[in-house]
Amino acid sequence: MSVVLVVVDAVDGSAPKPTLELLTLARRIGSPAVVVFGPAADQVVPVLAEYGATDVHLVADPRVLEHLVVPKVDALEQIARQAGEPGELAAVLPPASPEGKEIGARLALRLDSGFISDAIDVKAGEPGSGHAVIATQSAFAASWTVTSAVTVGVPVIAVKPNATTPTSEPVEAAVHEVAVELSAAAAATTITDRTVREGSGRPELTEASIVVSGGRAWATASTSP
Amino acid sequence: MGPDGATDALRKALSMGGDAAVHVRDDALHGSDAFATSLVLAEAIKRIGFDLVVTGMASTDAGMGVVPALLAERLGVPQVTFAGRLSVSGDEVKILRDSDTSSETVTARMPAVVSVTDRTGEARYPSFKGIMAAKKKPVQTWSLADLDIDPALVGLVGARTAVLATTRRSARSAGQLVKDDGDGGRALADFLAAQRFI
């Protein structure tokens, strides 16, 4: 069965809702293999297995947190190339966060494949259509819906939050600890200080299931200035 | 990199303080994706020579925001992206960047690629003197052949993705209007409660 690599955004040993959405989407295409970064990566294995991750790759190397983007691209490239025979890796699905998109684009460049960002849905292509994976995007302020496909190599598709509702499908996850061989460029950019902001306890706007918007109209004959 | 009209943008940049401009123009570039754009920019930048490449954050049309990262990958230099503040000291570049969950200080040695957000400060305004001086500043025009780039790698033919279908979404319904006769706040609260949002 083909493998779909899912990239977890969080590095603190948690699996945020978009990760569970990606896992749910990945199961439509193949068997999900998840890549988790950070020293606490192993803590997240049970919840990933509950949502159908047949393989979990743990990249505990603390250097992935000390340098921007490139160490994660190195790790993903290494895992993608080891994922099996050519053709066995069906897709790579990072989250469509700013960093997730940078990771996805650089990975696609290295794998000589194509990259689609900000997908709102992902599914397997019709057999015989020539496209293994089809992405849906929302364009021009959501006035158009676009379906597209990567035509070269392994599709890398960054998916926005709320693409689907996570559903569980418990499996036994095979856990692999990954020793990353970092490229020369990996340590070139260093994060020298990080201040984590206090969460408000509210969902992230991009991840919220319901957003109520409203406004107040003033332009009547009696009230307009 | 752009069609004939891109000259206007280059002249404006020169009037705001740029010293020289390069316009990569070639009919084969029409329809280029982020990979082709980054390839062309990287080849042009290599030819010009650089210590620091400064880019915007994302385009206003596709808004992918990946060209800076792809440039860094292609040029083999540090990627220092989403700068809210930028400073340079010796050969070190330092930025502050804010994400949804944290603020970070990021440093790298030049040469490097930096992308900036709209929080880095107000753009310099073109002065009359600047506009006049810009007319005398050099603008070079390069083609793909000048950059030794195979036209098959760019434009629609070089794209690594294909659009399969586009559909227009139906217009959204108008929503619910509440006429405020002094009880608008209550009506809003009732609506939120009825929908179980609060």
Side-chain angles (χ1 to χ4, degrees):
Chain A
M1 183 152 178
S2 58
V3 172
V4 180
L5 272 188
V6 168
V7 185
V8 179
D9 219 1
V11 292
D12 59 357
S14 70
K17 186 163 149 256
T19 297
L20 307 181
E21 293 165 4
L22 285 177
L23 268 168
T24 306
L25 292 174
R27 296 203 311 256
R28 299 175 180 174
I29 303 164
S31 52
V34 187
V35 183
V36 199
F37 299 102
D42 57 332
Q43 293 174 13
V44 78
V45 174
V47 62
L48 296 177
E50 190 190 330
Y51 283 83
T54 48
D55 291 88
V56 179
H57 300 274
L58 303 177
V59 184
D61 193 325
R63 290 176 297 176
V64 297
L65 308 187
E66 291 160 13
H67 310 289
L68 281 195
V69 176
V70 184
K72 293 178 182 170
V73 180
D74 289 345
L76 284 167
E77 183 189 9
Q78 188 179 317
I79 294 164
R81 291 194 192 281
Q82 288 168 357
E85 299 297 313
E88 204 168 322
L89 182 59
V92 182
L93 305 180
S97 59
E99 189 191 37
K101 290 196 278 187
E102 291 182 336
I103 290 170
R106 291 186 75 144
L107 179 69
L109 184 57
R110 290 190 189 181
L111 297 177
D112 285 324
S113 63
F115 174 65
I116 292 173
S117 74
D118 299 302
I120 57 167
D121 197 17
V122 181
K123 58 179 192 234
E126 297 291 327
S129 70
H131 302 297
V133 186
I134 310 280
T136 306
Q137 291 165 296
S138 181
F140 299 129
S143 56
W144 288 82
T145 303
V146 178
T147 54
S148 53
V150 170
T151 52
V152 188
V154 178
V156 182
I157 303 173
V159 183
K160 291 180 94 156
N162 280 327
T164 189
T165 305
T167 52
S168 67
E169 188 181 286
V171 291
E172 277 295 314
V175 177
H176 315 272
E177 290 180 14
V178 181
V180 191
E181 283 187 36
L182 292 187
S183 64
T189 308
T190 305
I191 301 168
T192 53
D193 187 45
R194 179 183 278 132
T195 315
V196 177
R197 249 193 296 285
E198 291 273 328
S200 65
R202 305 290 306 157
E204 292 290 330
L205 184 58
T206 49
E207 297 171 15
S209 321
I210 301 166
V211 177
V212 180
S213 81
R216 188 175 181 98
W218 287 101
T220 67
S222 60
T223 56
S224 64
Chain B
M1 165 177 158
D4 288 349
T7 325
D8 296 341
L10 291 175
R11 284 287 168 209
K12 188 172 183 194
L14 293 175
S15 71
M16 293 164 86
D19 294 316
V22 172
H23 182 182
V24 183
R25 190 185 62 195
D26 200 302
D27 289 344
L29 289 170
H30 177 72
S32 289
D33 62 9
F35 292 95
T37 303
S38 64
L39 171 67
V40 173
L41 292 179
E43 290 305 316
I45 289 165
K46 273 192 237 171
R47 192 145 305 204
I48 296 165
F50 67 102
D51 296 308
L52 195 58
V53 178
V54 182
T55 75
M57 186 179 86
S59 61
T60 49
D61 49 1
M64 294 172 81
V66 298
V67 166
L70 290 172
L71 265 183
E73 176 80 29
R74 289 191 186 275
L75 293 169
V77 300
Q79 170 200 325
V80 192
T81 43
F82 300 108
R85 258 194 279 166
L86 163 67
S87 61
V88 172
S89 167
D91 70 342
E92 187 190 72
V93 55
K94 179 157 113 176
I95 67 157
L96 291 178
R97 56 184 235 158
D98 288 322
S99 74
D100 289 342
T101 52
S102 65
S103 295
E104 292 168 338
T105 306
V106 182
T107 61
R109 297 240 173 265
M110 297 195 288
V113 173
V114 174
S115 78
V116 299
T117 69
D118 55 6
R119 301 178 67 179
T120 36
E122 288 294 312
R124 200 183 291 177
Y125 219 55
S127 64
F128 181 71
K129 202 176 147 199
I131 293 167
M132 295 312 288
K135 292 184 199 289
K136 294 190 187 119
K137 290 177 178 172
V139 177
Q140 291 184 67
T141 303
W142 292 348
S143 67
L144 287 174
D146 292 328
L147 292 170
D148 292 327
I149 294 173
D150 178 358
L153 296 175
V154 301
L156 281 176
V157 287
R160 298 166 176 217
T161 54
V163 170
L164 307 177
T166 56
T167 22
R168 185 185 271 282
R169 288 227 191 135
S170 51
R172 293 182 202 193
S173 57
Q176 183 178 334
L177 286 177
V178 176
K179 186 160 184 290
D180 186 6
D181 292 316
D183 58 353
R186 179 168 297 280
L188 178 58
D190 287 346
F191 169 79
L192 293 174
Q195 302 288 329
R196 299 182 180 279
F197 293 157
I198 53 174

